[in-house]
Amino acid sequence: QVQLVESGGGLVQAGSSLRLSCAVSGRTLSSVGMAWFRQAPGKERVPGKEREFVAAHGWTGDTNYADSVRGRFTISRDNAKSTVYLQMTSLKPEDTATYYCAATKDWGIASVTSNNYFFWGQGTQVTVSS
């Protein structure tokens, strides 16, 4: 059974940095695509906008980023540690959300579509104060 466990969230001031981690078990990390999505407060009530794509890392090493985070966030993985990271810099209040780690089935690319991810973590809260 695949399990994803996020950590590293917290309350920070605008302009700060945070690194989120996602520990993966039950799957060989090197063979799956991984991504981070986020859900801002109140967004869960808007159909189709429940979870916003943030960044993805395909099994071949391809990456993809949302325009809103490109240049500020970096997704990476350590297959030996079976962990995926999201390094976030220059944080803004609009980055406030619950951040979710997600995994594809085998040989997944860096997809921006949540429907392509079959395994999800429980989320970690990131709050950025102005």
Side-chain angles (χ1 to χ4, degrees), residues 36-115:
W36 290 92
F37 288 79
R38 65 187 181 186
Q39 184 171 320
K43 288 291 186 180
E44 65 275 7
R45 300 180 182 178
V46 181
K49 298 290 185 181
E50 296 87 352
R51 291 185 182 180
E52 174 191 12
F53 168 75
V54 176
H57 193 292
W59 79 280
T60 61
D62 55 315
T63 57
N64 221 332
Y65 293 94
D67 289 342
S68 59
V69 307
R70 185 174 290 112
R72 298 189 298 124
F73 291 10
T74 302
I75 187 171
S76 63
R77 67 169 74 198
D78 185 332
N79 291 332
K81 295 183 178 180
S82 200
T83 301
V84 178
Y85 304 99
L86 184 68
Q87 179 67 49
M88 306 185 293
T89 64
S90 302
L91 282 162
K92 305 175 182 180
E94 50 263 44
D95 294 319
T96 294
T98 300
Y99 283 72
Y100 296 91
C101 176
T104 67
K105 292 183 178 178
D106 284 347
W107 322 124
I109 62 172
S111 175
V112 305
T113 306
S114 60
N115 288 344

Side-chain angles (χ1 to χ4, degrees), residues 111-128:
S111 175
V112 305
T113 306
S114 60
N115 288 344
N116 289 330
Y117 295 89
F118 294 86
F119 310 102
W120 293 82
Q122 293 301 306
T124 185
Q125 178 67 38
V126 172
T127 303
V128 184

